[in-house]
Amino acid sequence: LLSTVLCNICSATCFVPVHLHTPRQLRKTANLPFTKRSSPRTSVATFNCKIELYGSPGSRSPLINWYLHELQIPFENIDIGRVPGARESNPHPFGQIPSLRDQCEDGTVELFESGAILSYLADTYGGLKTSKQRAERNAWCMWANASLDPIIFIETPEGRVIDTGLRGNPRAVQRLDALLGKRTWLVDDAFSVADVAVASYLLYVPQFFPDLDLGRWANIAAYAQRCANREAYAKAYGDRVSALVRARCDGYVANAATGAQEGKKFWPF
């Protein structure tokens, strides 16, 4: 889990609450029964399962919100710190967040771990038709959690974030920058769950490490800017955070373009 210490690190940029999305109301309006998950569903008008996302603004859960908004799937966003009874109904076996419950007529699925949740949503509702498509995207979801997370966030054994590994020049980040120099998006040159998984970590940098310049990696800077400008990102993280992130990403791209030296950087705020 992304330590709640992060909200304390940068209290001026704490997330704003995300509005509730209630598929229960949608079903009542449409007067339709639960539908099966047998085929991908990306239209709000035809979606009738009930998805509950347990999280909080200071955790990793908003990245799940982001992907759900990309899919245009209605869901109920349950803040365990504010909704009465949420901690008791949380399906996470260890009582942590994020976790997700998906209820349809063919049964209920309960999941935890952000990467697993993203993979499930992509497989179930993202229109993936082959094992190759699923594997290519799942690989990036796993890499984001297993490899990129420990680079972005240096933590104590107790899980307290103390710094970022991006102050150096990690080999994995160099490789990612090289790959993004050859493509716009990570898989099949189309935005996908893979980009949500990877970009969500990159976009934590302008929020929690404002003195660090991603412009050192020009292709990553441009990629972060593209992702930050997506409408679904703003819906998930809120206007205040998304505006801050977009402004700083614009600064990264400007620095990369001009080759500015330390102390002579462009920041639009």
Side-chain angles (χ1 to χ4, degrees):
L1 287 173
L2 179 59
S3 173
T4 54
V5 172
L6 290 180
C7 256
N8 296 326
I9 291 176
C10 193
S11 59
T13 61
C14 277
F15 301 98
V16 298
V18 180
H19 294 296
L20 296 182
H21 299 261
T22 55
R24 190 175 287 170
Q25 294 176 355
L26 177 67
R27 288 199 302 277
K28 183 177 180 181
T29 300
N31 196 27
L32 295 172
F34 278 115
T35 56
K36 292 185 178 181
R37 302 186 192 88
S38 55
S39 60
R41 298 183 179 274
T42 58
S43 171
V44 173
T46 61
F47 186 85
N48 296 293
C49 294
K50 178 187 177 184
I51 292 180
E52 297 174 336
L53 174 61
Y54 289 75
S56 71
S59 74
R60 286 190 187 127
S61 59
L63 70 90
I64 310 297
N65 296 45
W66 181 7
Y67 189 50
L68 286 165
H69 284 305
E70 293 283 356
L71 294 175
Q72 300 181 44
I73 290 178
F75 63 100
E76 186 175 0
N77 189 44
I78 302 174
D79 187 337
I80 65 166
R82 303 180 66 178
V83 177
R87 294 188 184 278
E88 291 73 22
S89 61
N90 180 8
H92 197 300
F94 303 105
Q96 299 172 319
I97 51 175
S99 64
L100 180 139
R101 180 181 290 116
D102 184 12
Q103 302 176 72
C104 288
E105 70 169 8
D106 57 347
T108 297
V109 175
E110 295 182 340
L111 288 166
F112 61 103
E113 291 295 331
S114 59
I117 295 171
L118 287 177
S119 294
Y120 167 77
L121 292 173
D123 189 37
T124 308
Y125 302 114
L128 304 182
K129 298 179 180 179
T130 68
S131 57
K132 178 179 182 292
Q133 290 177 325
R134 290 189 288 271
E136 288 173 339
R137 289 154 181 79
N138 285 345
W140 283 107
C141 291
M142 294 179 185
W143 181 80
N145 278 13
S147 299
L148 186 57
D149 179 357
I151 293 173
I152 301 293
F153 298 110
I154 297 176
E155 299 182 355
T156 67
E158 295 75 29
R160 185 171 64 88
V161 176
I162 55 176
D163 206 352
T164 175
L166 291 176
R167 300 198 188 283
N169 191 17
R171 183 175 299 178
V173 175
Q174 295 178 46
R175 180 59 179 158
L176 178 63
D177 189 61
L179 288 171
L180 289 171
K182 303 174 184 177
R183 61 188 77 168
T184 302
W185 306 112
L186 291 173
V187 180
D188 293 338
D189 208 28
F191 186 88
S192 73
V193 67
D195 299 292
V196 172
V198 172
S200 60
Y201 282 103
L202 295 174
L203 295 177
Y204 281 131
V205 173
Q207 296 177 60
F208 302 118
F209 307 105
D211 62 320
L212 194 143
D213 182 12
L214 285 181
R216 297 166 55 199
W217 303 282
N219 299 316
I220 288 177
Y223 173 72
Q225 184 187 52
R226 290 193 294 274
C227 292
N229 278 298
R230 295 188 68 85
E231 181 180 354
Y233 179 82
K235 288 182 178 179
Y237 287 87
D239 292 340
R240 182 180 180 184
V241 170
S242 62
L244 179 145
V245 170
R246 287 196 305 271
R248 288 184 173 162
C249 284
D250 290 346
Y252 300 152
V253 172
N255 290 341
T258 61
Q261 299 298 313
E262 193 68 35
K264 299 180 180 179
K265 299 185 182 300
F266 167 77
W267 296 115
F269 47 82

